[in-house]
Amino acid sequence: MSQVLVLDAGGTISSAPAANGALAGGQALAAALGDAAADLRIERVYAGLSEEMSLTQAGEVVAAALAAAEREDVAAVVVTHGTDTMEETAFLADIHWTSAKPIVFTGAQRSPGQPGFDGLDNLRDAFALAQKPEAHGLGAWIVFGGYALPARGAFKRHTSALDGFAHRMGLGVTLRQPLPRRVRPAPLPFGPCDEHVDLIGLGLGANGRLIDSAVAGGERGLVLEGLGRGNAGPVVAEAVSRAIAAGVAVAVTSRCAEGDVSPDYATGRRLADAGAVFCNDLSPSQSRILLARMLALHGEAGPALDAFRRWLSAG
């Protein structure tokens, strides 16, 4: 009989205090939940906190989920994951998800030993979504604090609130509402991400030294957290031009938590004219995931950015 399979990928939902009192990973979800886990089918795929996770380890979680979806005894996949990088692993799953079966990510803001532990409520809601017929064929989701959010565009909005996730384009819904539907680009071939891609944040009066240093240090891709709609001052634009001339792929997002980006201003148009790709509705962290995968697939910056643009235009 097909059932929901839980993949235990660590995080606060299965954490416990270390000797110094700080929360640490390593405990299995089944042990953390105790009797509440008796009826769950759980397979452990990562042990630790999500901020300790590498791109390679995130890929291993996704690989396990893809393999699970191929099994006849699995109707849907729920992944319990740390909240700090959940938006990235969920998006990595989404861009590779070939199955019509739902995959749902969830976790907790409070550990099993803390008052108000929210993991069981989030697990219950994740199961509810995973078993909804309308969730089939819609890719990956994050369910948290009573809300369901498409993985693409979801982000952690609050460090500790129980409803700590939101959606960049406002597509989060309660479990009683119809699920938002959007066109999904064709899944990418599964494989590793290029590890040499980094994020650089911009602020008032930002200079280009971090960009130049990243290029000198061997980064093959850069994601800029631009201002507003994806803007940057002329000194930054000059550094971006140097990076692109050196063969580094540059993508532009916004430090704003909500909304999309577009080179509507001269300050953004300079970046686009230099060859940077504007990431539409993708957050900085998810843009980094996609750029890292495109570089791994296509090798060089030019083909990787062309593929990035095609992916954006497809959905």
Side-chain angles (χ1 to χ4, degrees):
M1 180 179 177
S2 295
Q3 296 179 356
V4 176
L5 176 66
V6 179
L7 296 182
D8 170 11
T12 299
I13 194 170
S14 59
S15 64
N20 63 2
L23 289 175
Q27 181 178 212
L29 179 67
L33 298 183
D35 292 344
D39 296 327
L40 301 180
R41 296 175 60 201
I42 303 175
E43 295 180 8
R44 200 176 191 190
V45 294
Y46 173 79
L49 300 176
S50 67
E51 58 269 30
E52 300 170 311
M53 187 181 284
S54 67
L55 285 173
T56 297
Q57 289 169 322
E60 291 168 354
V61 172
V62 173
L66 286 166
E70 295 296 319
R71 291 164 43 180
E72 291 185 1
D73 65 329
V74 173
V77 177
V78 168
V79 182
T80 56
H81 194 287
T83 60
D84 282 0
T85 63
M86 186 187 297
E87 64 200 62
E88 288 148 295
T89 307
F91 179 67
L92 185 63
D94 191 59
I95 63 176
H96 293 110
W97 199 247
T98 54
S99 176
K101 297 175 183 178
I103 175 170
V104 184
F105 285 74
T106 195
Q109 292 278 53
R110 298 178 184 172
S111 71
Q114 290 178 318
F117 173 54
D118 54 326
L120 291 177
D121 286 342
N122 287 336
L123 258 179
R124 179 201 63 214
D125 290 345
F127 267 68
L129 178 63
Q131 293 169 320
K132 278 190 173 186
E134 64 176 310
H136 282 249
L138 299 185
W141 294 82
I142 289 176
V143 167
F144 213 91
Y147 288 88
L149 310 99
R152 175 179 175 177
F155 66 96
K156 187 175 181 180
R157 68 167 190 88
H158 197 285
T159 58
S160 58
L162 299 188
D163 58 346
F165 281 80
H167 194 276
R168 194 169 183 87
M169 304 304 292
L171 296 183
V173 297
T174 69
L175 295 177
R176 293 186 177 87
Q177 294 176 296
L179 296 178
R181 307 182 75 90
R182 62 188 305 180
V183 176
R184 295 180 63 235
L188 298 177
F190 180 72
C193 289
D194 191 308
E195 300 277 348
H196 299 285
V197 179
D198 213 345
L199 285 169
I200 293 179
L202 302 182
L204 177 66
N207 57 61
R209 288 195 296 269
L210 288 177
I211 296 172
D212 291 334
S213 295
V215 174
E219 296 299 318
R220 301 184 65 245
L222 296 175
V223 176
L224 300 186
E225 296 185 34
L227 309 175
R229 295 276 282 163
N231 303 318
V235 176
V236 171
E238 291 167 5
V240 167
S241 294
R242 290 192 295 271
I244 291 172
V248 176
V250 179
V252 179
T253 65
S254 175
R255 69 178 187 175
C256 298
E258 298 181 6
D260 60 2
V261 294
S262 179
D264 298 334
Y265 292 83
T267 48
R269 187 64 56 85
R270 282 195 293 259
L271 303 177
D273 289 346
V277 61
F278 275 63
C279 298
N280 295 1
D281 61 336
L282 294 183
S283 68
S285 63
Q286 293 187 346
S287 297
R288 176 174 173 260
I289 292 294
L290 185 59
L291 184 58
R293 185 68 192 110
M294 290 303 190
L295 281 167
L297 276 171
H298 300 284
E300 300 298 326
L305 288 178
D306 288 342
F308 197 119
R309 292 185 180 95
R310 289 194 298 271
W311 189 94
L312 290 172
S313 66

